[in-house]
């Protein structure tokens, strides 16, 4: 129903989705359904949805805040119609600034960064510069990530000191922000070399692979391929993501392996990174993921004579996780109903659903 109401041109669809989200926000849970509506708002880009999106950004849990921020990032032209949208633009700016400074979720800050960069308003500059004075290293790094989206060479004067930070992520973000300006390239190459020395510690090397991915450094393909064999899982993960960003075919199978890895933090991160890959590569990875999920679902259902009611709780949970991975919401609901009939509380198994 959400998909139908979320189609452009559906009469009354916007109002129905807004009202449905209002009703669901009064209830606990239903995160998946609420997120689906926010994703529909992102596709529709209708300014009537802005008030409730902002309200979600201010009040709801982190996962829904991320979806709200991603929806707001789609309103790239908001405010161009001065008489009708200038106050909407101001509300978005204030809500994003307030949330960015308060949260400690890097995923949410990354989503908010897209909104800030798209708005392109002068008042964002003093706000960003004030955040660079924070004592929170993660906040400084995420602020530099936002600044990296701007092409003004004058950012050098505000970013240069962070090239000497003792925090490797801050230094990395400063390097990425300035890389586009060739006049600083020699200084930056010297810093980058220290990150990509194979004899350095795993944390620094992982950060180095991350930098190469952000810079889309195809000339470093050989190094990234070698890092796939590194002992440290985080180095391997960063190398895979970097190879995906330069659209190397070998990354695909590694991405699928990581998604099904026992380390849930690594699995979650890789899955979330798919949306940051180049468009065609993203489609390729998702197609391969669908094939792998379909294969595993078929194998599971074979055990039960293709009747999910015959599966035990562990296999039902696995089956529901697989359907989650490929957004088969109707199938997820069916499994939830079977579990409920068996007297199983879904909330007791939430740790299995790392992608929702």
């Amino acid at each position: 129903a959400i998909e139908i109401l979320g189609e452009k041109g559906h009469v009354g669809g916007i109002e129905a989705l807004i009202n449905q989200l209002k009703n669901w926000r009064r209830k606990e849970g239903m995160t998946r359904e609420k997120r689906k509506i926010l994703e529909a708002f992102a596709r529709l880009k209708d300014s009537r949805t802005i008030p409730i999106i902002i309200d979600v950004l201010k009040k709801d849990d982190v996962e829904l805040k991320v979806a709200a921020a991603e929806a707001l990032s789609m309103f790239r032209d908001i405010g161009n119609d001065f008489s009708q949208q200038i106050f909407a633009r101001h509300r978005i700016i204030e809500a994003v600034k307030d949330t960015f400074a308060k949260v400690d979720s890097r995923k949410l800050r990354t989503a908010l960064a897209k909104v800030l960069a798209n708005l392109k308003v002068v008042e964002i500059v003093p706000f960003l510069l004030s955040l660079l004075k924070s004592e929170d290293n993660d906040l400084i790094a995420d602020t530099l990530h936002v600044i990296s989206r701007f092409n003004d060479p004058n950012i050098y004067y505000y970013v240069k000191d962070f090239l000497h930070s003792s925090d490797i992520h801050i230094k990395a973000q400063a390097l990425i922000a300035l890389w586009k300006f060739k006049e600083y390239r020699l200084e930056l190459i010297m810093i980058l070399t220290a990150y990509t020395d194979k004899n350095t510690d795993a944390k620094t090397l992982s950060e180095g692979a991350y930098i190469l991915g952000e810079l889309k450094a195809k000339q470093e393909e050989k190094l990234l391929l070698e890092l796939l064999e590194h002992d440290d899982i985080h180095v391997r993960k960063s190398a895979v993501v970097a190879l995906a960003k330069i659209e190397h075919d070998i990354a695909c199978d590694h991405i699928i392996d990581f998604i099904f890895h026992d380390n849930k933090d690594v699995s979650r991160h890789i899955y979330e990174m798919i949306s940051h890959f180049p468009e065609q590569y993203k489609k390729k990875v998702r197609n391969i993921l669908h094939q792998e999920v379909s294969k595993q679902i078929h194998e599971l259902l074979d055990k039960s004579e293709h009747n999910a009611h015959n599966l035990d709780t562990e296999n039902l949970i696995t089956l529901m996780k697989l359907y989650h991975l490929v957004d088969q919401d109707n199938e997820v609901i069916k499994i939830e109903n079977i579990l409920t009939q068996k007297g199983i509380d879904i909330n007791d198994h939430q740790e299995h659903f790392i992608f929702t």
Side-chain angles (χ1 to χ4, degrees):
I2 294 173
E3 285 75 11
I4 295 171
L5 291 171
E7 292 176 357
K8 288 187 177 181
H10 190 287
V11 178
I14 295 287
E15 293 84 356
L17 287 173
I18 290 172
N19 288 331
Q20 185 65 75
L21 184 54
K22 285 179 179 177
N23 290 334
W24 282 344
R25 289 182 69 217
R26 297 189 188 103
K27 302 176 182 178
E28 292 293 325
M30 302 189 72
T31 299
R32 182 177 68 254
E33 292 84 354
K34 294 170 187 174
R35 191 177 69 239
K36 288 288 183 184
I37 292 183
L38 291 165
E39 289 169 356
F41 290 164
R43 292 192 301 272
L44 293 167
K45 291 176 277 192
D46 189 300
S47 59
R48 288 174 291 176
T49 65
I50 290 175
I52 193 166
I53 295 174
I54 290 175
D55 203 45
V56 171
L57 185 64
K58 287 181 173 181
K59 298 177 182 176
D60 290 23
D61 63 36
V62 171
E63 286 302 310
L64 290 176
K65 285 178 188 286
V66 171
E70 289 173 346
L72 289 175
S73 73
M74 302 305 294
F75 289 88
R76 295 186 177 90
D77 300 321
I78 195 72
N80 287 355
D81 185 340
F82 189 88
S83 64
Q84 293 187 21
Q85 297 176 337
I86 194 64
F87 283 94
R89 185 178 186 135
H90 179 72
R91 285 199 71 213
I92 291 174
I93 292 168
E94 291 304 304
V96 171
K97 285 165 58 176
D98 183 59
T99 306
F100 194 96
K102 287 181 178 177
V103 300
D104 58 5
S105 164
R106 181 154 285 165
K107 180 181 177 183
L108 177 53
R109 283 187 185 148
T110 299
L112 293 169
K114 296 179 189 176
V115 186
L116 289 173
N118 287 341
L119 290 170
K120 298 182 177 69
V121 289
V122 174
E123 59 261 43
I124 287 174
V125 174
F127 168 68
L128 294 175
L129 296 182
S130 70
L131 296 181
L132 290 180
K133 298 175 182 176
S134 169
E135 294 182 1
D136 181 339
N137 285 347
D138 286 342
L139 179 57
I140 292 171
D142 291 339
T143 303
L144 289 168
H145 178 64
V146 177
I147 291 173
S148 72
R149 293 172 175 268
F150 296 93
N151 295 319
D152 184 348
N154 286 287
I155 68 174
Y156 176 78
Y157 302 99
Y158 302 101
V159 171
K160 62 180 180 179
D161 289 346
F162 295 104
L163 292 172
H164 309 291
S165 172
S166 59
D167 184 287
I168 62 170
H169 192 55
I170 288 177
K171 187 188 291 188
Q173 292 295 352
L175 185 156
I176 292 164
L178 295 174
W179 188 262
K180 62 176 76 71
F181 308 115
K182 292 183 179 179
E183 58 268 39
Y184 311 124
R185 193 68 62 79
L186 182 59
E187 177 185 4
L188 299 177
I189 288 173
M190 294 174 64
I191 296 171
L192 180 58
T193 300
Y195 275 96
T196 55
D197 181 345
K198 286 185 288 185
N199 295 317
T200 193
D201 63 277
K203 186 176 180 181
T204 303
L205 197 53
S206 176
E207 197 73 31
Y210 163 76
I211 294 170
L212 296 177
E214 291 297 292
L215 301 182
K216 294 182 171 58
K218 290 189 177 183
Q219 70 276 13
E220 297 295 341
E221 174 186 302
K222 182 175 181 292
L223 170 62
L224 291 170
L225 289 171
E226 290 174 359
L227 294 182
L228 292 178
E229 306 300 324
H230 198 279
D231 292 339
D232 187 89
I233 188 172
H234 298 289
V235 173
R236 298 198 303 273
K237 178 194 71 175
S238 295
V240 165
V241 171
L243 285 164
K245 288 184 176 180
I246 63 173
E247 302 185 63
H248 197 295
D249 287 341
I250 200 171
C252 287
D253 288 340
H254 289 275
I255 289 166
I256 303 304
D257 289 343
F258 271 124
I259 287 174
F260 291 100
H261 199 279
D262 291 338
N263 186 319
K264 290 186 175 62
D265 289 335
V266 169
S267 300
R268 182 186 294 110
H269 182 257
I270 288 287
Y271 184 78
E272 290 171 352
M273 286 306 301
I274 294 174
S275 63
H276 298 277
F277 296 161
E279 198 59 38
Q280 289 304 312
Y281 200 85
K282 185 193 308 181
K283 291 178 182 177
K284 181 177 181 178
V285 170
R286 284 179 172 159
N287 284 337
I288 295 172
L289 177 60
H290 272 260
Q291 292 170 18
E292 177 59 28
V293 167
S294 296
K295 174 188 167 188
Q296 292 192 28
I297 288 173
H298 183 74
E299 289 173 353
L300 265 179
L301 291 177
D302 268 354
K303 297 179 181 178
S304 64
E305 299 178 347
H306 290 266
N307 185 345
H309 287 84
N310 297 332
L311 291 172
D312 60 23
T313 299
E314 182 181 351
N315 281 318
L316 281 170
I317 295 296
T318 300
L319 186 59
M320 186 154 67
K321 171 186 169 182
L322 291 168
Y323 282 130
H324 268 294
L325 273 172
V326 289
D327 293 324
Q328 293 292 317
D329 291 339
N330 290 336
E331 298 301 324
V332 170
I333 291 169
K334 289 179 185 177
I335 304 301
E336 287 178 346
N337 290 336
I338 293 173
L339 288 167
T340 300
Q341 291 168 16
K342 289 174 175 281
I344 307 299
D345 187 346
I346 305 296
N347 293 321
D348 292 340
H349 300 275
Q350 285 302 310
E351 72 275 9
H352 292 276
F353 305 112
I354 61 174
F355 309 112
T356 60

